[in-house]
Amino acid sequence: MSKARVLIVEDSLTVRRLLCDVVSSDHDLELVGQAGDGKRAIEMCRELRPDVLSMDMMLPIMTGVAATEHIMAHFPTPILIVSASTNRGELFRTYDALAAGAVDVLDKPLGTELGDEWGRRYLAALKMAARIKVITHPRARLARLGHGASEARDDGAATPWSVPAGAPRVAAIGASTGGPGALVDILRAIPAGFPLPLLIVLHINEPFGAAFADWLDGLTPHRVAYARQDAPLAEASGRVVMAPPGRHLVLAQGRFQLTLGPERHSCRPSIDVLFESLAQEMGSSVIAGLLTGMGRDGAAGLLAIRRAGGVTIAQDEATSIVYGMPREAVLLGAAARVLPLPEIGPAIAEAAGAGARARGRA
């Protein structure tokens, strides 16, 4: 089996040498180059065509976000973000890079880690990323992300919604690898004034998930916040509520519960945990969508919702960064509809406004 070819992009010479040593120690990886700034990263990626990039965010000449955007638009390559940035502004840059097509994020070593633990995580993340067949991202994505959402909220707030009797009462979305950009696209496609609570589970490593809800809140026409323990579902109507990092989100007796239960599919929060609680609690009153991501989390939960009579949607292969979770859902027969990303937001909005008709088509 051929080795995965790695390009390392890091402005700190000390950290770059460490990353190079870790990669060179693994017999499944080949270090093909190293760069200290974003502009050189683009040049070397174009010349060397590596299988995976290890990318810092804070780079001279051209930032990691700008380099990621250019690479994913012109010669798509799996990118693993390796960053020590945990303040709000720098976390937002990490989310921008993920939305531009980077596939995962890993914390940068601090020098206090025990043994080879960090190196093992780094190598595993590089190998996982190298296996992903990424898709081209339009260069305009980050320009769109730069637009504020306050105007969209104001313009859409008066949009009337006609919700017939028997329509769904809650919507939910699960996503993993490739999820940040997909969620932005979906929430922007759902008009302001969407009347239902919209619950989201996204797999993102701690501590990088800390400000994701705030980032998403600023980019879409919808108010987005992390769930609060014991908050009633009814208070979330017309809002987007996310599972916080490291906690399962469960709906029980009409209230949100945040738990430290066992991981499902190595994930906490788990999409299956939320979806299964919604199937049990809300039955046919649920709209659920399963988006791009590696593994199978969410597939069984989506099947539970379909069996309970809810509306179920899976993202199609062509628009998924990783066609793992949606594929598992399709194989289980969990998805009543398999849609390209641009059609998922409108389908959720239509189901919320005409739920009985949507369920009839399913």
Side-chain angles (χ1 to χ4, degrees), residues 91-113:
L91 281 174
F92 277 28
R93 295 187 184 96
T94 297
Y95 305 147
D96 286 344
L98 289 168
V103 298
D104 204 357
V105 57
L106 183 70
D107 54 303
K108 190 177 291 187
L110 301 176
T112 58
E113 295 80 7

Side-chain angles (χ1 to χ4, degrees), residues 22 26 29 52 80 104 106 117-131 294:
V22 173
D26 192 279
L29 301 175
V52 61
L80 171 68
D104 204 357
L106 183 70
E117 177 187 355
W118 187 90
R120 288 192 292 270
R121 290 197 294 125
Y122 180 55
L123 293 172
L126 284 173
K127 293 175 185 178
M128 182 278 290
R131 295 196 299 269
M294 184 168 290

Side-chain angles (χ1 to χ4, degrees), residues 328-340:
E328 292 297 322
V330 171
L331 291 175
L332 283 178
R337 304 179 70 184
V338 180
L339 300 175

Side-chain angles (χ1 to χ4, degrees), residues 139-152:
R139 296 190 68 184
R141 177 184 293 281
L142 288 187
R144 293 200 305 273
L145 293 182
H147 297 165
S150 59
E151 295 85 354

Side-chain angles (χ1 to χ4, degrees), residues 72-260:
M72 297 309 297
H74 294 284
F75 27 90
T77 307
I79 296 175
L80 171 68
I81 300 169
V82 181
S83 176
S85 302
T86 56
N87 67 57
R88 178 185 170 96
E90 293 175 2
L91 281 174
F92 277 28
R93 295 187 184 96
T94 297
Y95 305 147
D96 286 344
L98 289 168
V103 298
D104 204 357
V105 57
L106 183 70
D107 54 303
K108 190 177 291 187
L110 301 176
T112 58
E113 295 80 7
L114 297 175
D116 298 327
E117 177 187 355
W118 187 90
R120 288 192 292 270
R121 290 197 294 125
Y122 180 55
L123 293 172
L126 284 173
K127 293 175 185 178
M128 182 278 290
R131 295 196 299 269
I132 295 173
K133 185 178 180 181
V134 293
I135 62 176
T136 300
H137 280 248
R139 296 190 68 184
R141 177 184 293 281
L142 288 187
R144 293 200 305 273
L145 293 182
H147 297 165
S150 59
E151 295 85 354
R153 288 194 184 110
D154 292 342
D155 291 343
T159 302
W161 281 79
S162 175
V163 182
R169 293 185 291 148
V170 65
I173 297 174
S176 187
T177 309
L183 288 171
V184 170
D185 288 348
I186 287 174
L187 292 182
R188 286 187 164 182
I190 296 175
F194 182 76
L196 307 184
L198 177 51
L199 315 182
I200 293 178
V201 173
L202 172 69
H203 299 159
I204 187 168
N205 295 332
E206 294 186 89
F208 295 102
F212 187 84
D214 292 340
W215 177 80
L216 202 57
D217 179 81
L219 293 175
T220 77
H222 310 280
R223 292 297 181 187
V224 184
Y226 285 120
R228 294 179 293 106
Q229 173 66 23
D230 212 37
L233 177 68
E235 288 185 359
S237 295
R239 294 177 176 267
V240 178
V241 176
M242 294 194 66
R247 298 288 190 277
H248 292 307
L249 175 59
V250 174
L251 184 68
Q253 297 182 338
R255 293 181 177 270
F256 296 130
Q257 303 299 318
L258 306 177
T259 78
L260 282 170

